[in-house]
Amino acid sequence: DSLLDRYEIIPAMVERNSTAKKNNLILLDKGSNHGIERGMGVIGPNGVVGQVKFVSKNFSTAVSLLHTDVRVSSMLTRDNTIGTTQWEGGDISLAKLKYVPRHVPLAEGDTVVTSGYNSVFPKGITIGYVKNINVNINESFYDIDVELATSFHKVSMTYIVKDRLQTEIDSLITISEE
């Protein structure tokens, strides 16, 4: 099975987009009439954009990656090390890659992609590129700045990602958590 068999891609235009707040939202021109549901991932031509939070018949609102509550399960393409990408406010071109152990080989320019460990995004969607690597000798993880692949101040076209296997995955997760 290919990614195209598992995921449905629904094009959506950006109606409104905020970038100046601590918790930014994006209004998209597709809603429940178009098959959009809460929790779906939103990607752009260059990479991750956000996740659908609210849905009406003809529109949906996504929490942007530029929202301090959004965490994206991430992976370094160099060696498949898993971490979490989170924007902490401020510069809209930078986020933090967290929980990467200091023993992992790392270099500026390394690519950060989605891990596929959640059902929001397929594995391998670009998030950004390692820009700065800071080491605190008292910490067991690097402090990594990631330059985001998406230019949020000019994003206009997006793709909402629907995982066709989501219901099946949810049923297994529910069983295992009981």
Side-chain angles (χ1 to χ4, degrees):
D1 287 350
S2 75
L3 284 177
L4 291 175
D5 292 334
R6 177 166 173 180
Y7 297 95
E8 180 182 349
I9 307 298
I10 304 160
M13 296 300 293
V14 173
E15 294 281 327
R16 292 200 185 108
N17 176 24
S18 64
T19 58
K21 300 174 181 165
K22 187 176 174 192
N23 295 316
N24 294 286
L25 302 173
I26 300 171
L27 180 67
L28 302 169
D29 72 347
K30 295 289 187 296
S32 58
N33 287 348
H34 310 93
I36 308 305
E37 298 170 15
R38 180 183 166 99
M40 291 180 174
V42 181
I43 59 178
N46 299 317
V48 171
V49 171
Q51 184 176 1
V52 174
K53 179 95 174 186
F54 305 106
V55 182
S56 68
K57 286 186 175 174
N58 296 297
F59 297 93
S60 54
T61 302
V63 286
S64 170
L65 184 56
L66 303 182
H67 190 294
T68 56
D69 292 340
V70 172
R71 290 164 184 77
V72 179
S73 181
S74 308
M75 182 174 72
L76 288 161
T77 57
R78 166 192 291 260
D79 63 359
N80 297 342
T81 295
I82 301 297
T84 299
T85 301
Q86 182 178 13
W87 184 67
E88 296 182 333
D91 189 333
I92 66 168
S93 68
L94 293 178
K96 291 287 188 185
L97 177 59
K98 300 179 169 190
Y99 315 119
V100 175
R102 281 199 357 230
H103 68 269
V104 170
L106 194 60
E108 288 181 12
D110 282 357
T111 303
V112 181
V113 299
T114 55
S115 69
Y117 278 16
N118 59 34
S119 52
V120 179
F121 300 104
K123 181 178 181 178
I125 304 295
T126 303
I127 297 169
Y129 309 93
V130 173
K131 183 168 183 175
N132 298 308
I133 305 163
N134 306 299
V135 179
N136 179 337
I137 57 167
N138 299 320
E139 300 286 336
S140 50
F141 300 111
Y142 288 113
D143 175 9
I144 304 167
D145 291 322
V146 174
E147 186 167 0
L148 297 173
T150 297
S151 298
F152 283 90
H153 62 282
K154 59 183 180 185
V155 67
S156 60
M157 182 70 203
T158 66
Y159 306 92
I160 302 172
V161 182
K162 179 175 187 163
D163 187 341
R164 292 186 171 113
L165 302 180
Q166 185 58 50
T167 304
E168 181 180 347
I169 292 167
D170 287 348
S171 70
L172 290 172
I173 291 171
T174 304
I175 292 167
S176 67
E177 289 174 347
E178 287 177 354

